[in-house]
Amino acid sequence: MRAALGVLWLLALGGPPQAWGSCPAQCSCSLHVLGDGSAARTVVCSDPDMTLPPASVPPDTSRLRLERTAIRRVRAEAFRPLGRLEQLWLPYNALGQLSALMLRGLRRLRELRLPGNRLAAFPWAALRDAPQLRLLDLQANRLSQVPPEAARFLGNLTFLDLSSNQLLRLPQELLATWAQPHAGPFLPSHHPRLVLGLQDNPWVCDCRLYDLAHFLEGWAPHLAFIEAQLRCASPRGLAGVAFSQLVPRKCQSPELRPGLTSIRSPLGSTAQLRCGARGVPGPELSWRRVDGHPLNGTVRQEVSSDGTSWTLLGLPAVSRRDSGDYVCQARNFLGASETLISLVVTEPQTSTEPQTSTEHGGRLEALWARTGEGAEAAAYNKLVARHVPRISEPAVPATTPAVRSETEPRVQHVQTGAPGERAHGPAGPQEARMVRSLKVVGDTYQSVTLLWKAPLAGNTTAFSVLYAAFGQRAMRRLAVPPGETRVTVRGLAPKTKYVACVCVRGLLPRKEQCVIFSTDEVVDAEATQRLINVVVVSVAAVIALPLTLLVCCGGFQRRCRKCRARGPTEAGGAYVHLERLGHSEDGSEAPSQRSLGEADGLLSARSSLDSQLLGAPRGGRRINEYFC
């Protein structure tokens, strides 16, 4: 009977008492009965002097908590005897290193919590030994990155907290795993909601944030975030800005835009090698020689408004040793791209005109095509000024009538020639710098006026104007009369970009002698002027009309008052004249002859009317009647 009761007792408790083991001295153990009737043991260790996980943990433990201890590392297979362990909590310890075999044997583990430690790296491959793991908490550690291969082991998680670490960015492979959870290797048929914690990390908001920003913008319904509003930490100009307020650009490898692939430069002159590149982020540009010799020049960097980075290698006073192949390299974190530019140093020319580096083939059309329509005008201006081919002086028929005045400019069509062609006429160093401060003055939408200064020019110096639509090879020439420093170019198309150069007749234009302009500015200026005129006239009419009406009304009122007051005044004056009746010489009161004359003049109209009514005697003296 007692033996049967002992067997039943062993079966009910799952084995002999010694199978459970004893509770470690530095820990507390408790036994809980679950809803299905099974027993679950919980072991909690929080001794601050504990430096290693306890070795005598009961094997039937399902919950193990080691918190606020001095444990710095976890050795391999430290928890392998705990085959029934489901929850492993190691919060707020001094953990700085974890073994890749720490989870060996924990096939039933569902929760792994490691917040508040000092982990700079995590053994992601160790998750392979815990196929039922659903919760991983790595909050408040020192993780600086998540490697791309970690995505292979995170597909079966339903909760992942990476907040308050040192993460700068996340790999694209991990974002793809979260966006499509069914691609996970350990994913069951029914995947629940995935909760992510990514906040409070020093995110770098550059092009590598493009995938994460778009992931947060259109995340799938199965995702949930502990805090969805992530913010940038760098660069300094974007610190504190939310991801939702950014428009990130996708990363792009460098794409080179070489200026000239072959350059010829006379001995002793200055050669300019130019190379540009675009990329996201902006590439770093560098120069080197193919033969390994050091560079004999200076490098200058500049960035145009369209985002193209340019580098210029200046070689002053080139010699035979400077001839060779130069490599321009553009590099960013996505890769590098290179282009080869050849420099050939030739014998100096006998002419004294300024020497310029020219391209083999010498076609201005190729230069424009290489520059591109969207290039910055300033960068194109430099190329045109440095590499404009020499223009010969053939007798090209003029497009205007043969009969013209001496002061009217002549227009000719000019085709740019080869680099080897020479311009006629001498070209001294001072004459090449005659034209200065070239300006474009808007005239009409079909013409502009070019104005320049020539302090060294005399009254007999003649200039030429070369102009063409931007990107066209055929140029037109205007012959400016001697001594003139102002010319009007007519027959231009509105809203069109042009390039124009002014130089001494027979010489090549230099950098400061060329200008790029557009007739858009003239049209806009005229439209603006017309709008200003309309506004000024309208405002003047609104202000002047009430004042005019007020003045007219005031004058009309004063005239009306004067007319009303004039009647009584005249009547009173008449009676005053009537009362001035003098006495006759005999003392009677009969009117005097003077008084009769005045009264007769005043009342002659009334007397004439009364005489007509009463009838005056034909032969007698007319008697005037006066009324008081």
Side-chain angles (χ1 to χ4, degrees):
M1 186 65 180
R2 292 181 178 178
L5 292 176
V7 171
L8 292 176
W9 181 77
L10 291 175
L11 293 175
L13 296 182
Q18 56 270 23
W20 302 321
S22 59
C23 186
Q26 297 174 307
C27 307
S28 61
C29 303
S30 60
L31 188 64
H32 303 279
V33 178
L34 303 180
D36 57 356
S38 60
R41 183 181 296 275
T42 300
V43 177
V44 179
C45 304
S46 58
D47 189 349
D49 296 330
M50 182 181 292
T51 57
L52 292 174
S56 59
V57 178
D60 63 339
T61 301
S62 62
R63 298 176 182 175
L64 176 60
R65 296 181 59 179
L66 306 177
E67 58 184 4
R68 303 186 186 280
T69 66
I71 299 176
R72 296 180 178 273
R73 64 184 182 89
V74 176
R75 65 181 184 274
E77 301 183 3
F79 306 107
R80 185 167 187 173
L82 307 178
R84 300 177 61 181
L85 190 64
E86 296 183 359
Q87 298 180 2
L88 177 58
W89 292 11
L90 303 172
Y92 302 102
N93 296 288
L95 290 173
Q97 183 180 1
L98 298 177
S99 172
L101 303 178
M102 63 169 292
L103 302 181
R104 181 67 60 87
L106 304 182
R107 308 289 297 181
R108 300 175 63 178
L109 186 66
R110 300 180 63 86
E111 293 187 13
L112 177 58
R113 297 181 181 270
L114 296 164
N117 285 281
R118 304 173 185 175
L119 297 174
F122 181 80
W124 303 98
L127 301 180
R128 185 188 296 110
D129 297 326
Q132 298 189 25
L133 186 67
R134 296 293 179 266
L135 186 148
L136 178 59
D137 187 359
L138 296 173
Q139 177 191 8
N141 278 276
R142 300 176 182 178
L143 300 177
S144 59
Q145 64 175 348
V146 178
E149 58 269 16
R152 300 168 48 196
F153 313 106
L154 300 177
N156 59 341
L157 295 180
T158 60
F159 183 94
L160 176 60
D161 193 353
L162 297 173
S163 61
S164 302
N165 278 275
Q166 301 298 321
L167 297 177
L168 305 179
R169 54 187 62 91
L170 292 176
Q172 186 177 2
E173 294 80 0
L174 183 59
L175 299 178
T177 301
W178 290 341
Q180 300 176 356
H182 294 285
F186 307 109
L187 185 65
S189 58
H190 177 69
H191 195 278
R193 180 179 293 271
L194 174 61
V195 180
L196 295 174
L198 303 175
Q199 70 277 7
D200 299 330
N201 280 290
W203 302 109
V204 178
C205 293
D206 56 8
C207 68
R208 284 170 283 190
L209 191 73
Y210 179 85
D211 295 322
L212 179 58
H214 280 265
F215 172 76
L216 296 174
E217 182 180 355
W219 45 275
H222 69 276
L223 295 176
F225 293 90
I226 299 176
E227 183 178 342
Q229 192 70 282
L230 304 184
R231 298 185 179 276
C232 302
S234 61
R236 183 178 301 177
L238 297 177
V241 178
F243 283 12
S244 58
Q245 300 176 355
L246 298 176
V247 183
R249 300 173 60 191
K250 197 168 185 178
C251 295
Q252 200 173 26
S253 58
E255 179 183 354
L256 280 171
R257 302 176 60 183
L260 298 172
T261 58
S262 181
I263 296 178
R264 301 178 65 88
S265 184
L267 185 66
S269 63
T270 298
Q272 293 279 353
L273 280 67
R274 186 180 181 89
C275 175
R278 298 188 64 179
V280 181
E284 296 181 0
L285 300 174
S286 60
W287 291 92
R288 75 172 191 275
R289 295 189 60 166
V290 175
D291 54 13
H293 293 170
L295 297 176
N296 182 27
T298 58
V299 178
R300 184 162 56 95
Q301 306 279 349
E302 60 184 22
V303 179
S304 58
S305 61
D306 63 345
T308 303
S309 300
W310 294 92
T311 176
L312 290 89
L313 175 60
L315 303 175
V318 293
S319 62
R320 297 292 185 182
R321 292 177 298 178
D322 295 323
S323 295
D325 295 332
Y326 292 78
V327 177
C328 175
Q329 184 185 71
R331 177 184 295 274
N332 62 12
F333 73 92
L334 291 178
S337 181
E338 296 181 349
T339 187
L340 191 68
I341 300 177
S342 299
L343 174 63
V344 179
V345 179
T346 61
E347 291 294 336
Q349 300 181 3
T350 57
S351 175
T352 58
E353 68 178 76
Q355 305 297 333
T356 58
S357 301
T358 56
E359 181 184 5
H360 286 301
R363 292 184 177 272
L364 188 61
E365 180 181 7
L367 177 61
W368 274 320
R370 184 174 294 110
T371 304
E373 296 181 358
E376 184 69 9
Y380 175 74
N381 190 15
K382 295 178 182 178
L383 292 175
V384 170
R386 186 176 299 122
H387 303 290
V388 169
R390 292 179 175 85
I391 299 171
S392 59
E393 293 282 348
V396 181
T399 58
T400 52
V403 180
R404 58 172 65 244
S405 63
E406 293 296 331
T407 59
E408 185 178 359
R410 293 179 299 168
V411 180
Q412 294 180 348
H413 290 281
V414 179
Q415 297 289 335
T416 55
E421 296 179 1
R422 289 181 176 274
H424 298 289
Q430 293 183 351
E431 293 180 353
R433 295 191 295 267
M434 279 186 179
V435 178
R436 299 178 183 176
S437 303
L438 179 60
K439 298 180 181 179
V440 176
V441 181
D443 190 3
T444 66
Y445 66 92
Q446 290 183 341
S447 65
V448 295
T449 300
L450 298 178
L451 182 64
W452 65 91
K453 295 180 181 180
L456 301 179
N459 294 332
T460 60
T461 304
F463 297 93
S464 294
V465 177
L466 303 176
Y467 70 96
F470 194 86
Q472 292 185 1
R473 182 169 179 265
M475 302 187 72
R476 304 186 71 186
R477 174 187 297 153
L478 270 119
V480 183
E484 295 290 335
T485 59
R486 180 187 182 100
V487 67
T488 299
V489 182
R490 306 183 186 279
L492 303 179
K495 298 186 178 180
T496 305
K497 184 184 292 185
Y498 286 89
V499 56
C501 298
V502 178
C503 60
V504 177
R505 188 174 301 176
L507 299 183
L508 293 177
R510 297 173 61 88
K511 173 181 176 181
E512 63 273 9
Q513 299 171 353
C514 295
V515 66
I516 295 177
F517 63 91
S518 175
T519 52
D520 288 345
E521 301 175 358
V522 177
V523 176
D524 295 341
E526 292 183 354
T528 304
Q529 185 62 38
R530 287 196 296 269
L531 180 60
I532 292 174
N533 294 339
V534 171
V535 171
V536 170
V537 172
S538 302
V539 172
V542 171
I543 295 176
L545 184 59
L547 294 177
T548 304
L549 294 177
L550 182 62
V551 172
C552 293
C553 291
F556 184 72
Q557 290 177 358
R558 288 193 298 270
R559 187 168 184 83
C560 290
R561 287 196 297 268
K562 183 184 295 183
C563 292
R564 286 195 299 267
R566 183 179 301 172
T569 305
E570 293 179 354
Y575 283 106
V576 168
H577 288 294
L578 290 177
E579 290 175 355
R580 294 173 59 188
L581 300 177
H583 294 274
S584 62
E585 295 178 359
D586 55 0
S588 62
E589 295 182 359
S592 63
Q593 186 65 27
R594 180 180 178 181
S595 298
L596 289 175
E598 293 177 356
D600 181 63
L602 290 173
L603 301 178
S604 58
R606 180 61 183 267
S607 301
S608 302
L609 181 60
D610 294 341
S611 300
Q612 294 176 3
L613 294 177
L614 301 177
R618 295 184 179 180
R621 187 175 63 89
R622 190 176 71 177
I623 300 175
N624 293 327
E625 296 181 359
Y626 304 93
F627 297 88
C628 296

